[in-house]
């Protein structure tokens, strides 16, 4: 009897604890599935709200700030924190940028004196090739609110140069920024270089390097450094594509891999991809980076 | 007369300060104000502003909850416990009872608002990114407190003639409308219909304008209200609260407790 009891206890230990562990693991798996499913549903809901315009309720309230019942700043802060979460996404989609714009719009409607959303928001929106107009609109609103602040025309010039590709307008904005009190002494030369050299990647790199050097805000410097890496990639891609063309002219055939350009003596070395990735030769002779989804078209020469 | 009002006020203060639900609300308020310390970390730039704005909004919200919750039960509790018969059988006039009750609750609210503002001031001061001593927190809290006094008077007014639940609903409605009076004024200014024009203006002057005490949105920009704005707000509070309490006394004097 006693032996039977001991055996039963052993069996219980052998079954119960693994069962508990199994159930714990199962609950973890189920939870992760629920989280995945819900975040997918949330994304779908957000997309459908954006499409139907139902997400504009907050925009409507923000346009009549009396309806914030005295909590204008708190509402602006909450919306701004939401915007920071959206902008913090490492791989922002087109929908993320649209949502960021509407959040920045709402935050600045609630509290038009809140300067960070205009500057940082405008700068991050300008990273999207499709949201240059929105970035300029946010910066324009900031400029209207703070007409004596040189940073607004400065970042408008930056956005016009790197996002829109309107070098003349960019140069004019930089010149306007240089005339405002407190602006850096390097702005007039920046403006003239923008006007004179247009879409040269080397010019863009020199401009960005001087902007990054003078930038005091850490968050804005991060956004500028991201842009710098994009420009470096574009410069390298243009250089590699010219080398592929030169190889084709010299040998009558396309190279099979980028290394062939070095072997043929056209390039001394394949440049290092600044994001830690690789440059890849495509079948048609084009070159791309495995880290950058879209090329910086504003710095490409019109053919 | 002043002595009787003070003794009712001190009794009301003791009664409300012992209320356990008040402590629950304060504890939750401290928790939310404390959380702003971590919330600010989620922002980018202007971190201390998040602490000041969300902290002052918490003081406002929890202050309103306390004022309404305690205000609507000021009279009804005395009636339910039948202590009103004992009080009124003594040489205490009914208006003294109303003034004493409102005054007592105002002292409780002053203490709780001061406690919440002090916690927020300390958090704002010690915050690592841009934290500094911000006296504007206390100034904005005075504005919030003035709004709470007005809400206490309104809750007292409603509790003289209706049930606590309805008093609560009416006071919350007036809290919402009190922040929208500027909207009524702008509608009245834009409308070409005479009824809307005059109706909007009438609402603007009749309803309590709670935005005159709202200085919390200026703290982040270190713009404290000028002495004249502060003085006008005090004057407005005094006049409006006196009118409301006068109406409360009038209704309470006609109430039959037999």
């Amino acid at each position: 009897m006693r032996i039977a009891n001991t055996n039963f206890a052993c069996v219980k230990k052998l079954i119960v604890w693994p069962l508990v562990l199994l159930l714990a693991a199962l609950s973890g798996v189920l939870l992760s599935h629920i989280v995945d499913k819900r975040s997918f549903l949330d994304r779908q809901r957000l997309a459908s709200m954006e499409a139907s315009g139902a997400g504009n309720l907050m925009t409507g309230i923000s346009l009549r700030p009396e309806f914030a019942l005295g909590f204008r700043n708190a509402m602006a802060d909450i919306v701004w924190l939401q915007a920071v979460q959206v902008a913090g996404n490492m791989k922002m989609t087109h929908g993320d940028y649209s949502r960021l714009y509407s959040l920045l719009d709402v935050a600045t409607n609630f509290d038009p004196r809140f300067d960070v959303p205009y500057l940082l928001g405008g700068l991050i929106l300008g990273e999207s090739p499709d949201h240059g107009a929105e970035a300029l609109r946010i910066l324009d609103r900031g400029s209207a609110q703070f007409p004596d602040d040189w940073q607004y025309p400065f970042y408008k010039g930056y956005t016009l140069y790197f996002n829109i590709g309107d070098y003349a307008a960019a140069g004019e904005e930089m010149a306007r920024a240089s005339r405002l009190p407190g602006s850096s002494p390097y702005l007039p030369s920046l403006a003239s270089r923008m006007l004179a050299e247009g879409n040269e990647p080397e010019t863009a790199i020199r401009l960005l390097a001087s902007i990054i050097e003078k930038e005091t805000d850490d968050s804005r410097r991060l956004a500028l450094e991201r842009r710098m890496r994009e420009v470096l990639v574009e410069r390298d891609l243009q250089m590699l594509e010219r080398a592929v063309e030169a190889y084709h002219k010299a040998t009558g055939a396309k190279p099979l891999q980028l290394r062939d350009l070095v072997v043929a003596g056209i390039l001394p070395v394949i440049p290092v991809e600044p994001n830690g990735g690789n440059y890849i030769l495509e079948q048609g002779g084009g070159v791309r980076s495995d880290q950058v989804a879209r090329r910086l078209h504003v710095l490409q020469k019109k053919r | 007369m002043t002595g009787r009002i003070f003794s009712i006020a001190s009794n009301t203060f003791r009664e409300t300060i012992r209320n356990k639900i008040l402590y629950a609300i304060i504890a939750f308020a401290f928790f939310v104000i404390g959380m702003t310390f971590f919330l600010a970390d989620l922002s980018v730039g202007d971190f201390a502003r998040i602490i000041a704005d969300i902290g002052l909004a918490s003081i406002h919200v929890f202050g309103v909850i306390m004022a309404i919750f305690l205000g609507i039960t000021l009279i009804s509790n005395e009636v339910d416990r039948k202590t009103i018969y004992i009080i009124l059988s003594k040489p205490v006039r009914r208006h003294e009872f109303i003034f004493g009750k409102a005054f007592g609750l105002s002292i409780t609210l002053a203490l709780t608002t001061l406690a919440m503002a002090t916690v927020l001031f300390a958090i704002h001061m010690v915050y690592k990114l841009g934290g500094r001593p911000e006296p504007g927190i206390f100034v904005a809290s005075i504005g919030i407190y003035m709004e709470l006094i007005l809400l206490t008077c309104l809750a007292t007014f409603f509790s003289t003639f209706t049930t606590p639940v309805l008093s609560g609903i009416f006071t919350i409605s007036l809290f919402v409308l009190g922040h929208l009076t500027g909207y009524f004024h702008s509608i009245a200014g834009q409308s070409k219909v005479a009824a809307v024009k005059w109706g909007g203006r009438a609402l603007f002057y009749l309803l309590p304008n709670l935005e005159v005490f709202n200085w919390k949105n200026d703290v982040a920009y270190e713009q404290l209200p000028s002495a004249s704005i502060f003085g006008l707000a005090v004057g407005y509070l005094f006049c409006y609260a006196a009118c409301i309490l006068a109406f409360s006394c009038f209704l309470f004097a006609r109430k039959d407790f037999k």
Side-chain angles (χ1 to χ4, degrees):
Chain A
M1 184 72 181
R2 196 171 167 174
I3 292 167
N5 273 348
T6 317
N7 281 345
F8 181 67
C10 281
V11 170
K12 226 163 72 173
K13 262 185 197 170
L14 277 173
I15 293 175
V16 171
W17 288 112
L19 195 66
V20 169
L21 284 175
L22 188 73
L23 284 173
L26 191 66
S27 70
V29 171
L30 286 174
L31 183 66
S32 70
H33 275 287
I34 292 167
V35 169
D36 276 355
K37 183 83 182 156
R38 285 186 66 169
S39 60
F40 174 71
L41 289 174
D42 281 350
R43 278 200 300 274
Q44 273 190 329
R45 186 175 53 81
L46 269 177
S48 70
M49 271 171 70
E50 267 164 23
S52 66
N56 293 338
L57 176 67
M58 202 67 168
T59 314
I61 295 174
S62 72
L63 289 172
R64 296 247 41 136
E66 295 96 332
F67 286 90
L69 304 181
F71 298 99
R72 290 178 67 152
N73 276 23
M75 296 284 265
D77 292 351
I78 290 165
V79 176
W80 167 241
L81 289 178
Q82 265 185 288
V84 170
Q85 302 312 307
V86 173
N89 191 350
M90 290 302 283
K91 296 209 166 160
M92 284 178 74
T93 60
H94 182 275
D96 287 337
Y97 281 111
S98 301
R99 184 161 155 69
L100 176 65
Y101 172 66
S102 77
L103 288 169
L104 293 172
D105 195 34
V106 171
T108 49
N109 280 344
F110 274 126
D111 183 8
R113 292 178 293 175
F114 194 4
D115 57 348
V116 183
Y118 295 121
L119 283 174
L120 190 58
L123 188 57
I124 293 173
L125 268 179
E127 288 178 2
S128 161
D130 308 322
H131 291 80
E134 284 87 347
L136 290 177
R137 218 171 293 147
I138 286 284
L139 288 165
D140 268 336
R141 286 186 56 195
S143 191
Q145 192 65 35
F146 305 101
D148 294 332
D149 193 333
W150 64 273
Q151 295 180 97
Y152 294 95
F154 173 79
Y155 280 110
K156 263 189 82 180
Y158 169 86
T159 307
L160 283 162
Y161 186 90
F162 286 102
N163 186 296
I164 311 284
D166 187 343
Y167 311 116
E172 277 166 25
E173 286 296 335
M174 286 290 177
R176 189 160 78 88
S178 70
R179 289 192 292 272
L180 288 171
S183 64
S184 299
Y186 75 101
L187 285 187
S189 67
L190 206 68
S192 58
R193 268 150 63 190
M194 277 183 169
L195 288 167
E197 295 169 44
N199 58 354
E200 289 294 335
E202 287 299 339
T203 307
I205 288 165
R206 282 203 302 275
L207 290 174
L208 265 173
S210 46
I211 294 172
I212 290 169
E213 193 191 327
K214 300 284 190 299
E215 182 56 72
T216 51
D217 184 278
D218 288 343
S219 329
R220 291 205 294 264
R221 188 183 292 118
L222 278 176
L224 292 167
E225 283 169 353
R226 273 201 299 272
R227 177 67 85 186
M228 175 63 113
R229 285 195 292 275
E230 281 180 14
V231 177
L232 287 171
V233 167
E234 183 55 39
R235 179 200 62 185
D236 291 350
L237 292 179
Q238 286 186 18
M239 186 257 287
L240 286 168
E241 282 173 354
R242 278 197 301 269
V244 169
E245 239 170 81
Y247 183 95
H248 185 232
K249 271 184 193 161
T251 64
K254 299 267 184 194
L256 295 172
Q257 52 181 352
L258 287 176
R259 183 96 199 112
D260 295 347
L261 300 172
V262 181
V263 173
I266 295 171
L267 285 179
V269 68
I270 303 296
V272 178
E273 210 281 351
N275 299 295
N278 293 301
Y279 291 119
I280 295 164
L281 179 66
E282 291 181 317
Q283 278 194 337
V287 186
R288 67 174 177 87
S289 158
D290 59 1
Q291 295 290 311
V292 178
R294 292 174 76 157
R295 286 183 65 168
L296 204 57
H297 290 290
V298 290
L299 293 181
Q300 289 173 7
K301 289 188 172 59
K302 291 177 181 70
R303 292 175 189 184
Chain B
M1 183 180 101
T2 325
R4 287 193 294 270
I5 291 177
F6 272 116
S7 44
I8 290 172
S10 67
N11 266 325
T12 308
F13 171 67
R14 275 199 294 271
E15 192 186 323
T16 48
I17 211 78
R18 286 178 194 149
N19 195 323
K20 282 180 185 136
I21 295 172
L22 178 77
Y23 288 105
I25 298 170
I26 291 176
F28 198 63
F30 283 160
F31 173 74
V32 174
I33 293 168
M35 285 303 288
T36 58
F37 193 86
F38 304 102
L39 199 64
D41 280 350
L42 297 178
S43 181
V44 175
D46 232 345
F47 301 93
R49 170 206 157 97
I50 306 280
I51 294 179
D53 289 344
I54 308 281
L56 284 168
S58 308
I59 293 176
H60 193 175
V61 168
F62 289 107
V64 168
I65 293 171
M66 283 183 231
I68 294 176
F69 175 75
L70 297 173
I72 57 173
T73 51
L74 271 185
I75 311 287
S76 63
N77 271 353
E78 301 285 356
V79 176
D80 289 347
R81 290 186 305 216
K82 312 227 186 292
T83 43
I84 189 98
Y85 300 107
I86 302 163
I87 297 166
L88 294 182
S89 63
K90 295 191 169 173
V92 174
R93 292 187 179 166
R94 290 195 179 194
H95 69 268
E96 291 169 350
F97 177 75
I98 293 286
F99 275 98
K101 279 279 168 191
F103 186 43
L105 180 52
S106 302
I107 299 169
T108 307
L109 291 173
L111 261 178
T112 53
T113 310
L114 180 66
M116 291 190 284
T118 308
V119 170
L120 179 61
F121 182 81
I123 289 174
H124 192 278
M125 192 167 67
V126 301
Y127 188 68
K128 57 188 182 297
L129 298 166
R132 62 189 181 281
E134 178 53 76
I137 287 172
F138 286 111
V139 178
S141 299
I142 291 172
I144 292 170
Y145 174 61
M146 287 159 80
E147 180 177 330
L148 299 185
I149 292 178
L150 201 50
L151 287 174
T152 303
C153 294
L154 288 167
T156 310
F157 168 69
F158 289 123
S159 66
T160 56
F161 64 88
T162 187
T163 60
V165 174
L166 282 177
S167 299
I169 293 170
F170 292 150
T171 315
I172 291 168
S173 307
L174 278 183
F175 165 73
V176 173
L177 290 172
H179 284 283
L180 294 177
T181 49
Y183 183 59
F184 296 137
H185 194 255
S186 70
I187 284 180
Q190 287 162 8
S191 177
K192 285 177 182 145
V193 181
V196 176
K197 199 179 264 295
W198 290 104
R201 278 184 192 158
L203 282 174
F204 178 72
Y205 287 109
L206 276 177
L207 291 170
N209 190 332
L210 301 178
E211 279 294 310
V212 297
F213 311 117
N214 186 9
W215 305 317
K216 61 181 181 295
N217 294 334
D218 297 323
V219 172
Y221 304 104
E222 295 174 356
Q223 290 174 347
L224 300 181
S226 65
S228 61
I229 287 178
F230 189 80
L232 285 170
V234 172
Y236 176 75
L237 171 70
F238 180 78
C239 296
Y240 203 97
C243 288
I244 295 294
L245 287 180
F247 277 117
S248 310
C249 295
F250 175 75
L251 290 174
F252 194 63
R254 289 167 167 258
K255 206 170 172 93
D256 190 3
F257 289 108
K258 283 173 190 169

